[in-house]
Amino acid sequence: MPPATPDPDRAEVPDAGGHYGPYGGRFSPEALVAALDQVAEEWEKAKNDPGFRTELDALLRDYTGRPSLLTEATRFAEHCGGARVLLKREDLNHTGSHKINNVLGQALLTKRMGKPRVIAETGAGQHGVATATACALMGLDCVIYMGEEDTRRQALNVARMRLLGAEVVPVSVGSRTLKDAINEAFRDWVANVETTHYLFGTVAGPHPFPALVRDLHYVIGDEARSQVLDLTGRLPDAVAACVGGGSNAMGAFAAFVPDTGVGLYGFEAGGEGVSTDRHAAAISGGAPGVFHGARTYVLQDTYGQTLPSHSISAGLDYPAVGPEHAWLADSGRVTYRAVTDAQAMEAFRLLSRTEGIIPAIESAHALAGVRELGAELGPEGVIVVNLSGRGDKDVDTAASYFGLVDGGGETA
Amino acid sequence: MSRTALQTALARAKADGRAALIGYLPAGFPDPDSSIKVVEAMVEGGCDVVEVGLPYSDPTMDGPTIQRAADTALAAGTTPPDVLRVVEATAATGAAALVMTYWNPVERYGPDRFCADLAAAGGSGVITPDLIPEEAGDWFAATDASGLDRIFLVAPSSSDRRLRLATQASRGFVYAASLMGVTGTRAQVSGTAERLVARTRDAIGDGGLPVCVGLGISNRSQAAEVASYADGVIAGAGFCQRVLDAPDLETGISAVRSFAEDLALGARDGRV
């Protein structure tokens, strides 16, 4: 077993087996081990290959639009205890979220492995849209698994994926949400692994996915660190991000982990409250266990059965979290808090009204957290918050929540 | 360490000049008491060994038939104590009883306690489809302490190095997943199975560890084909399907018994 005492300042996490202290690893059918080994080996080669890096950097710059901006949200900050609030604008990326960073890297990797087909899972559709986009760009066949419940909540993104040439497969078993889409994608992968790469969308799953996806999102925090230094002449007091599986948060945090003076804050989906059975806060309200190929925090019952999760955000509606987050939580390097649906929606409205930016509901969880953090830090505080995506896909949900449809009663 | 009931059952089949028949059913399907009756019919029909499934909410390796069966069992309120009760009833039939389970329920129960309780219920061993030997340090200790067999899987994609790893880690038998795919009946047994068994036997060397084949076996001729090169024939989805298709439990039990008889004949045919 790897050492149980987490030491997040060490750069060598994970170990060769994908362990982050007691978390991570590979709890996977033997049939997939060869494919997981192949992905791990190819990624090690690719990230040290100057040709691969040049190609990926060019795509991130010329296709995605990186570096993304760091926008100071002064009017929003008035509602955050007066602390300076700096938005890392992943919403401005092509396809509208941070997800594109990861999919471009993994799509290039797919081509290196000589595989013509990509499968992926998606919850809110951001990862599905990004994957379909990368596959269109690179001429790869693309199948996206999506819970039937999520295809209903995110009909617009289903249409976008289909326009981009992807096949969208609604999954009608289990809770019909993201976790079931992942189960179905794993089944497809077992049967088609010779021709297919599973383009995993977050920092969860069996090794090497948590490290691979983190590495591809590292650019978020790396850029933010340099931008905030340029803007303020110092490091921020806090970096904040929403956490479902945790990919945008890992990307935002990774570059700051060695800066021990920078507080790192992950905001989970508290749904109707962590004390209820209607939330998706795996760290705040779950327990260590094994789920989707890794040991991590999971919402589970006494017998280890996965509990249904709930969030108003389809993108955070997942009953577990990436294993590196589990390790960072235990070590105390990152503080994880839960934000309710109501708090997130209030922050959603506030950013829209004060800054003219409609955030993804996922990101609104981080914004709600920043309101608390700002009050704690006061006017001297500087907070970077990762605006992981834009809210186009969530307009239906928001319109319904605020009663904005056809004289639905919005008066505020 | 004395021989487990599983090891005895496999040795007896070998001495009979046939492959062993190993059947799978989730405990609690369609409900805990009825699942015991289904298992009894499987044994009456000729199963030497029964894999009692611990129904799990996220059975990634299973196809729709077994997932439906597991969901039914969970909806009926099946818990690990029910699974142990079905194991006890299985062992009472004279067949060897194994548990097939995903890892998280074992981890949650506590591997040591799980093994001790399973051994006390008369179980012989455990099959863990999502636990690979590299992650199984605690599991080796727990199964050793309770004298249980631990069965790991090999797949057509396994390298020779991994075949050695899985066979050295396994006790009782090694489970050869005949094809790259999930559980469920297939029209044909994959052609990769025989090659996988040969490679696995090479990895075992002189150890004599039996190799049993599962995934996709759904009729007598497929059982015969597998029996011609493997030590055991494993079937699961076919049993579940017969219970799912039956208008009532009695009809389902009768169909399960006939199916086991058919497969048992196949397990003999293969050695003629």
Side-chain angles (χ1 to χ4, degrees), chain A residues 31 50 109 167 227 313 377 395:
Chain A
L109 202 61
E167 180 189 349
Q227 288 166 322
S313 163
L377 292 170
V395 166

Side-chain angles (χ1 to χ4, degrees), chain B residues 41-100:
Chain B
M42 289 164 71
V43 177
E44 285 161 18
C47 285
D48 303 284
V49 180
V50 176
E51 295 175 11
V52 176
L54 193 157
Y56 178 53
S57 50
D58 293 275
T60 314
M61 264 298 284
D62 288 305
T65 304
I66 287 179
Q67 179 159 19
R68 260 183 80 196
D71 285 348
T72 305
L74 288 173
T78 306
T79 62
D82 293 315
V83 175
L84 294 170
R85 191 158 64 84
V86 176
V87 165
E88 204 168 349
T90 302
T93 66
L98 303 177
V99 165
M100 164 84 103

